[in-house]
Amino acid sequence: MIDNFNSFRPDGEPTADRWVTALSLFDDKEREETTADRWERAGLYFEAKQYTEAAQLLVQVVEEAPEQTAPRLLLARAYYHSAQLGRAEEQLREVIARDPVEHYAHLMLGRTLQRQGRAEEAEPWLRMAAAFSGHAPAAE
């Protein structure tokens, strides 16, 4: 986490930490952070490419709202981008078990398996993602 409240990204935009801190500046009283607050904060971390921090929050969001696909899918993406591929695979398989036609989860699972050196195992997932999205798989 960046400790400097005045930090800015290279494109001139404030860092996620700055906005997260700013959200509570004008609160009149202390309040408990809600699941929605954690979801929003995790999204800010993810956009800022702070994938590990996003994942830490998303684990809590997924525990509190396990029936929701979006937080679990974003958690898988955060794990993927922070090279926690086993955890990404686990979350993606859970998304697919809950929502078998979620084409992006199939695509991500295929890519995750490829990144782990399991290309042969990835092929059916990538073909399924292509079929769901209406795109033909790339010719080899």
Side-chain angles (χ1 to χ4, degrees), residues 29-81:
K29 58 185 175 197
E30 290 292 319
R31 65 179 182 88
E32 187 175 323
E33 186 177 46
T34 66
T35 303
D37 293 335
R38 278 187 282 284
W39 168 245
E40 184 176 350
R41 197 157 53 103
L44 292 171
Y45 279 125
F46 190 88
E47 288 176 19
K49 296 182 172 61
Q50 295 176 324
Y51 302 116
T52 303
E53 291 84 353
Q56 290 169 348
L57 288 169
L58 288 164
V59 165
Q60 296 172 26
V61 173
V62 166
E63 287 174 355
E64 293 166 6
E67 70 286 350
Q68 296 292 319
T69 299
R72 193 176 297 275
L73 196 52
L74 189 59
L75 175 58
R77 291 177 63 200
Y79 282 150
Y80 178 87
H81 288 297

Side-chain angles (χ1 to χ4, degrees), residues 5-131:
F5 182 79
N6 295 314
S7 296
F8 290 87
R9 297 188 321 220
D11 64 2
E13 290 293 316
T15 62
D17 284 3
R18 181 176 178 155
W19 286 118
V20 168
T21 305
L23 291 175
S24 63
L25 283 178
F26 301 104
D27 287 346
D28 291 339
K29 58 185 175 197
E30 290 292 319
R31 65 179 182 88
E32 187 175 323
E33 186 177 46
T34 66
T35 303
D37 293 335
R38 278 187 282 284
W39 168 245
E40 184 176 350
R41 197 157 53 103
L44 292 171
Y45 279 125
F46 190 88
E47 288 176 19
K49 296 182 172 61
Q50 295 176 324
Y51 302 116
T52 303
E53 291 84 353
Q56 290 169 348
L57 288 169
L58 288 164
V59 165
Q60 296 172 26
V61 173
V62 166
E63 287 174 355
E64 293 166 6
E67 70 286 350
Q68 296 292 319
T69 299
R72 193 176 297 275
L73 196 52
L74 189 59
L75 175 58
R77 291 177 63 200
Y79 282 150
Y80 178 87
H81 288 297
S82 62
Q84 298 179 61
L85 301 178
R87 290 179 175 175
E89 179 182 349
E90 179 182 316
Q91 293 302 318
L92 291 165
R93 289 187 186 278
E94 183 64 28
V95 168
I96 293 168
R98 291 169 181 263
D99 187 359
V101 295
E102 173 55 63
H103 81 277
Y104 190 67
H106 286 82
L107 176 65
M108 276 200 62
L109 180 55
R111 299 278 190 239
T112 300
L113 294 169
Q114 282 179 330
R115 196 167 166 196
Q116 293 179 60
R118 297 158 56 190
E120 189 174 312
E121 191 179 341
E123 287 178 28
W125 297 106
L126 296 173
R127 280 195 307 271
M128 187 80 73

